[in-house]
Amino acid sequence: MAKPPENIDIVIIGAGFSGLYAVHKLRDKYDIVCFEAGEGVGGTWFWNRYPGARVDIESVEYSYSFDEDLQQEWKWPEYFSAQPDLERYANHVADRFGLRKDIRLSNPVKSLRFDKDANRWHVQSANGDHVICKYVIAATGALSAPNMPDWPGREKYRGEIYHTTQWPGEPLDLKDKRVGIIGTGSTAIQAAPILAECSKHLTVFQRTPAFSMPSGNRPLDEEHERSWKENYSERRAQMLDTYGVSLIEYPTKSAHECTPEEQNKILEEGWASKSAFQMMVAFTDVMTDREANEVVCEFVRNKIRDIVKDPETAEKLCPKSYPIGAKRLCIDNGYFDMYNRDNVSLVDVKSAPITEFTETGLKTTESVYDLDVIVTATGFDAVTGALSRIDIEGVDGLKLKDKWREGPTCTFGFMVAGFPNLFMIHGPLSPGALSQMITAGEWQVDFVAGVIDDLEQDGFLRIDTTEEAEQNWAAEVNGAASQTVHHLADSWYNGKNIAGKKGGFMIYVGGFPRYRDLSETAVRNDYEGFLRS
Ligand code: N01
């Protein structure tokens, strides 16, 4: 029998880091329910349990700022926390702030339908819950809808296949196994060195080589921790004033203003800095000037050539077809060095693509590979994928996936015209993954909470954005992107990693301060670009 509908104020979708904070922020004032697909909280850091999974931004930055006691008391063991520590932190926050009673685990949202007469969303979940609410906050994550390769023959493959987001809970015994990993993005670059150490043989199937730099991860030293804890409030505020919500050294000189010796010194410092962002801003013009960018590319290629002993393998690993930073720059713990092991081989699947699974492994246009385990580190239907996979119907039967068929549209990444009272956190066309996502997410949740408070105080029943505002925001987003080298790569940033996915660059690269300023100014100007009624 169908469950009776529940009437509440706000549904939050997702109990990842932003969703958890939204629960904490809103629960005292409003009746809320949070739906989460996973069996546990933590979002990205719940799902991504593959060997080697760890954050590539320093944990002292990549952590919550909303509670002073929490940030003072929590101890990060390492500079770059591993997945188990991040998941432990998410669970600690859920327990410490009593969030669990509002979170329904293993219960993904299946559909959202807006009743324009009642100004209410109807939310249906996989477990048959039917919630009628005023507002929906989609904290569904930018990298949460896995991309599975769809080569034929999968059903006949007799070995084991794991996508990196669906790693088994029990440790795998791989010591006598031939393992293949498909992909060389951030995920594969973290997983591969560990898989190489614990398997009989590892074959890496590479379509596009990646730029990666060493993380220099190590136990967090007390002095570094103390200096952060003594200055947290000041540093968190400074972070929000930086381009990527991260305290790195911002450059003052163009690559063209430096001698080759100066360039090299700056790049060596960047290489040792432990931050991928640092390489992208080694000079003022890395992301905007092809020649300046090429200086950084060649520096990294030479690092690869220095590390990898076999020159042919080294050359295959050197990215040459796109600018550095145009795809997400990776951070690794021994990725290139791994290729010096006897039990690792590299297969180029750009020139000879994978065509099918066989009973015993994979077939490319040139060869057959026998594998006991296949790891698909093939990434995500990013940014829009999680929302497009929910059946969302706005006013007059408009479906979100139809509205976004040619690419996402929205205002400031928060709202889509025709979908009133639905707010996105880290939505498309927001700074998203090009910002430090926990602190940026907190700011976005605070912003949305402020909008909801205003609506309630001013007696409005609904807020929508306009198509004109969406067009203005698209112009701002495209204008910012067109000044960078991002468009020179196919990646999840522009959806070109997914066959048939349309749309342009899906992330706002105008910098967080400008994004924040434009969003806040619109609110101050009596909600310019929005319609309240
Ligand atoms: O996914 P990706 P990811 N045949 O899309 C390849 C964040 N993250 O999971 O480049 C062969 O980057 C694909 O090849 P190509 C971070 O923001 C953060 O690695 O499209 N290969 C590529 O090599 C990151 O950017 C952390 O030619 C195929 C790979 O699969 C984002 O998540 C850690 C293929 C996918 O790379 C996504 O990273 C991990 C095919 N049919 C992730 N299809 C940290 O914080 C795809 N590929 C450290």
Side-chain angles (χ1 to χ4, degrees), residues 8 62 193 211 265 279 306 312 315 338 360 392 446 460 501:
I8 60 152
Y62 186 82
F211 287 105
K265 181 169 178 293
M279 292 304 273
D306 285 349
E312 205 182 311
E315 234 26 64
M338 172 191 82
T360 55
I392 304 181
D446 287 345
F460 290 113
K501 186 166 173 174

Side-chain angles (χ1 to χ4, degrees), residues 54 56 151 184-187 190 207-208 327-328 377 379 492:
R54 79 176 51 245
D56 63 0
W151 304 297
T184 51
S186 299
T187 299
Q190 290 188 323
R207 190 165 65 182
T208 313
K327 285 161 98 86
R328 174 68 141 74
W492 63 261

Side-chain angles (χ1 to χ4, degrees), residues 266-286:
I266 289 168
L267 290 169
E268 286 291 356
E269 284 165 7
W271 186 254
S273 73
K274 311 194 291 295
S275 168
F277 286 130
Q278 195 66 63
M279 292 304 273
M280 289 166 66
V281 300
F283 311 108
T284 50
D285 43 5
V286 177

Side-chain angles (χ1 to χ4, degrees), residues 151 157 160-164 167 174 177-183 188 191-192 195-196 199-206 343 345 347 354 357 360-362 369-378:
W151 304 297
Y157 174 58
E160 300 155 60
I161 305 183
Y162 303 105
H163 190 278
T164 44
W167 205 259
L174 300 173
K177 304 240 165 109
R178 297 157 300 175
V179 178
I181 186 165
I182 304 164
L195 295 173
S199 64
K200 184 171 163 199
H201 190 271
L202 179 72
T203 307
V204 180
F205 295 90
Q206 170 185 274
N343 71 333
S345 44
V347 172
I354 298 168
F357 291 95
T360 55
L362 287 170
Y369 298 87
D370 287 339
L371 301 162
D372 303 303
V373 177
I374 296 174
V375 177
T376 52
T378 41

Side-chain angles (χ1 to χ4, degrees), residues 1-8 11-13 32-37 100-113 121-133 390:
M1 207 172 65
K3 294 182 192 171
E6 304 159 70
N7 278 283
I8 60 152
V11 161
I12 295 162
I13 311 178
I32 63 154
V33 165
C34 174
F35 287 99
E36 166 56 49
R100 288 191 196 277
K101 71 179 174 55
D102 294 315
I103 300 172
R104 299 183 187 176
L105 298 173
S106 305
N107 198 358
V109 168
K110 287 289 179 210
S111 70
L112 299 176
R113 186 177 59 78
W121 280 101
H122 287 251
V123 180
Q124 306 272 0
S125 77
N127 290 359
D129 296 353
H130 177 189
V131 174
I132 302 172
C133 60
I390 300 174

Side-chain angles (χ1 to χ4, degrees), residues 12-199:
I12 295 162
I13 311 178
F17 278 80
S18 296
L20 280 177
Y21 175 58
V23 172
H24 172 70
K25 174 86 186 173
L26 294 159
R27 61 188 305 212
D28 288 343
K29 230 175 184 173
Y30 302 101
D31 282 339
I32 63 154
V33 165
C34 174
F35 287 99
E36 166 56 49
E39 290 158 27
V41 300
T44 284
W45 300 109
F46 169 82
W47 293 104
N48 287 275
R49 295 160 181 274
Y50 60 85
R54 79 176 51 245
V55 66
D56 63 0
I57 296 175
E58 275 196 54
S59 290
V60 284
E61 288 201 358
Y62 186 82
S63 47
Y64 287 121
S65 67
F66 69 84
D67 187 87
E68 181 59 14
D69 291 342
L70 172 67
Q71 66 183 5
Q72 289 300 330
E73 286 164 27
W74 186 261
K75 275 191 95 62
W76 293 109
E78 296 174 277
Y79 271 76
F80 298 94
S81 291
Q83 178 273 335
D85 288 319
L86 286 151
E87 193 186 1
R88 190 166 57 83
Y89 179 66
N91 278 290
H92 171 81
V93 168
D95 291 334
R96 181 179 183 126
F97 297 98
L99 309 181
R100 288 191 196 277
K101 71 179 174 55
D102 294 315
I103 300 172
R104 299 183 187 176
L105 298 173
S106 305
N107 198 358
V109 168
K110 287 289 179 210
S111 70
L112 299 176
R113 186 177 59 78
F114 190 69
D115 174 347
K116 71 175 181 187
D117 299 321
N119 289 312
R120 290 288 187 277
W121 280 101
H122 287 251
V123 180
Q124 306 272 0
S125 77
N127 290 359
D129 296 353
H130 177 189
V131 174
I132 302 172
C133 60
K134 285 190 197 171
Y135 310 104
V136 175
I137 299 179
T140 39
L143 294 156
S144 51
N147 170 40
M148 308 285 191
D150 58 356
W151 304 297
R154 189 171 168 157
E155 64 298 336
K156 65 183 175 201
Y157 174 58
R158 292 196 307 258
E160 300 155 60
I161 305 183
Y162 303 105
H163 190 278
T164 44
T165 57
Q166 290 156 4
W167 205 259
E170 300 300 310
L172 293 178
D173 181 2
L174 300 173
K175 67 177 180 308
D176 298 321
K177 304 240 165 109
R178 297 157 300 175
V179 178
I181 186 165
I182 304 164
T184 51
S186 299
T187 299
I189 277 182
Q190 290 188 323
I194 299 186
L195 295 173
E197 271 172 28
C198 64
S199 64

